[in-house]
Structures are given as C-alpha cells and as structure tokens.
Amino acid sequence: MNPRKIVVLTGAGVSAPSGLATFRSLGGLWEQHRIEDVASPEGWARDPGLVLRFYNLRREALATAVPNDAHRAIADLQDRFEVVVITQNVDDLHERAGSRSVIHLHGELRKVRSTADEATVEDIGYTSVALGQVCAKGGQMRPHIVWFGEDVMHLDEARRHIEEASRFVVAGTSLAVFPAAGLVRYARDKAEKVVVDLDPPAVSGGFRVLRGSADVVMRGLASEWLGSGKVR
Ligand code: OAD
C-alpha cells in the first residue's frame, strides 16, 4: 500500500453537476433509450445510424459541458498525492479539470474506432460521426465505447492501482454495472475508504458514507485531505 496514493472510482454522478445525464436516475438516459438499441453490439448491427445519433448527441452535450467542483477537487488532490482516477464515464471532464492519470473503463466519447481494425482509434473531438465514415481499410467508424457484452478496458491496471491505494473514493456511481463495480473489493482492508453519492449504494468493507452532491462533498473531502481548506 502506498501512503500517498489515492484512487477515485467515478461514475455519472460526478458529471451530473456539469449537466450531463446519468443513466439510472429518474429521467436518466436508460429511461429514454433502450440499452439493447444503443449500447449493445446487436443494436449496432440492427441500426448503426440510431447508435451513431445517440453518441453524436452525447458528444454534442459534452462540447458545451464544463468540469464542476468534483472534477476540480479530485484534480487538486494531485498537489499532495499521487492520484489515479478510474472512471466509468466516457466524458473528458476529469482531463479538462487537470487530472493527469485517468483510466477510462468504458471508453471515451471523443474517440471512434474502425470496425475493420480495432487498433485504428481516432480522436474526433466533439464532432459527429456519420454512416459511411470509414477507415482506410473501408471499415465503418464506431464509437470507442464499451457496450454491454463487450470487454471493459484496462481492468487489470485499474485493479492494481486500487490494491496500492491507501485512500479509495467511490463517487457518483450506482455500482450497478459489472465488472467495474466489482473493483471495489480490491481496496485494502487498511485503506481509508469513502463513498460519495446523492443516494449511496450499499458497499461493504468499512466505507465512510458521505451523502450529498459530488461537487460539494468532493470539495469538502479534498479540503480535509489537503489539510488546507484551500481548494480551487
Ligand atoms: P448510474 O446512472 O447508474 O448511477 C449514477 C449514480 O450517481 C447514482 O448512484 C446516483 O445516486 C448518483 N448521483 C446522481 N447525481 C449525483 C450528484 N450530483 N452527486 C453525487 N451523486 C450523484 O451511473 P453509473 O454508475 O456511472 O456504461 O453507471 C455505470 C455504467 O452504466 C455507465 O458507465 C454506463 C451505464 O450503462 C456504459 O454505457 C457501458
């Protein structure tokens, strides 16, 4: 265990104060769209245009969203700690807030990859993808997003970081989706563990529960851990 290492596992609730919709809250994305239509290989095979439109809209929303105090407080922790963010979020708000080490378990909205060659990944920023947009090999470009039934990215690397952390925060996630949710069990018994959420999920293993909006609560926690009361 590294006494200076903090790992923060984040979910959609951390980006909610930036105006990005969560998935399972009232009015969340999965209430308005069927997962099997827009977030599964079968949905893509059936209607790739619908899938592209869904992620084009997410990318468009991200273009105008800005990081909130949760993202900023997590980045501020780097002043005194080695901080690794493990996120289920596909937005880039952690990076834009200044976090230097961000692991995206479920992919990244700004990236697309070829269906003909998965090593061909492109950063398209906040632009849209259309049907017929192909790579040099002629493969349609698809969102670089992990759909249900596909392999989560960087799972082993994420686990190793959690095992090394002396402080572990789980913030803004319902812990409803595995294997990402299963990562919490790799936190060390002796690590200081905190769960931050408006409606905290049940999590065993000695977590301190901080109920509230991630922007407010993370700012307070960062002040406590930085010992200065000073958070940007
Ligand atoms: P969910 O929508 O399942 O859960 C969001 C969590 O954030 C809930 O626990 C809410 O209580 C909490 N929340 C909402 N607003 C908050 C706020 N202002 N402050 C703090 N907490 C807040 O989202 P995730 O757990 O991130 O995967 O979902 C996990 C995965 O399911 C996503 O990555 C996505 C989805 O299907 C893929 O698309 C592959």
Side-chain angles (χ1 to χ4, degrees), residues 7-86:
V7 170
V8 189
L9 174 66
T10 65
V14 161
S15 294
S18 295
L20 299 181
T22 63
F23 296 94
R24 294 173 183 78
S25 310
L26 210 65
L29 286 170
W30 294 157
E31 218 173 68
Q32 296 156 48
H33 306 270
R34 283 155 39 104
I35 290 179
E36 50 276 39
D37 288 342
V38 299
S40 78
E42 296 75 23
W44 172 254
R46 250 191 330 267
D47 191 348
L50 177 76
V51 176
L52 291 177
R53 273 198 302 283
F54 175 75
Y55 289 101
N56 286 343
L57 285 173
R58 307 273 79 73
R59 221 175 283 112
E60 198 181 301
L62 180 56
T64 52
V66 291
N68 64 65
D69 264 0
H71 302 104
R72 282 192 289 268
I74 292 166
D76 284 346
L77 288 167
Q78 295 171 136
D79 288 354
R80 286 197 44 207
F81 298 93
E82 179 191 331
V83 182
V84 176
V85 178
I86 300 171

Side-chain angles (χ1 to χ4, degrees), residues 72-205:
R72 282 192 289 268
I74 292 166
D76 284 346
L77 288 167
Q78 295 171 136
D79 288 354
R80 286 197 44 207
F81 298 93
E82 179 191 331
V83 182
V84 176
V85 178
I86 300 171
T87 188
Q88 298 165 87
N89 297 345
V90 296
D91 64 56
D92 60 354
L93 297 181
H94 283 299
E95 288 91 340
R96 276 156 59 188
S99 280
R100 292 187 287 272
S101 177
V102 183
I103 296 174
H104 286 274
L105 298 172
H106 290 164
E108 292 170 76
L109 209 39
R110 288 179 42 168
K111 293 182 180 169
V112 291
R113 72 168 183 270
S114 166
T115 49
D117 170 19
E118 64 178 28
T120 301
V121 178
E122 263 177 46
D123 188 334
I124 58 162
Y126 308 104
T127 61
S128 289
V129 193
L131 274 182
Q133 207 166 315
V134 295
C135 73
K137 291 180 181 162
Q140 171 68 42
M141 300 307 279
R142 58 157 276 182
H144 188 53
I145 301 281
V146 176
W147 291 329
F148 286 86
E150 296 185 324
D151 288 338
V152 165
M153 299 173 188
H154 314 297
L155 203 54
D156 290 342
E157 189 190 347
R159 195 192 72 202
R160 281 196 298 276
H161 284 299
I162 293 171
E163 286 171 344
E164 284 171 14
S166 54
R167 301 177 199 221
F168 179 51
V169 184
V170 174
T173 171
S174 62
L175 293 179
V177 174
F178 286 80
L183 283 169
V184 299
R185 70 173 185 273
Y186 294 108
R188 295 288 182 197
D189 286 345
K190 288 201 174 130
E192 183 171 353
K193 292 171 286 246
V194 184
V195 56
V196 174
D197 205 290
L198 272 182
D199 180 16
V203 45
S204 59

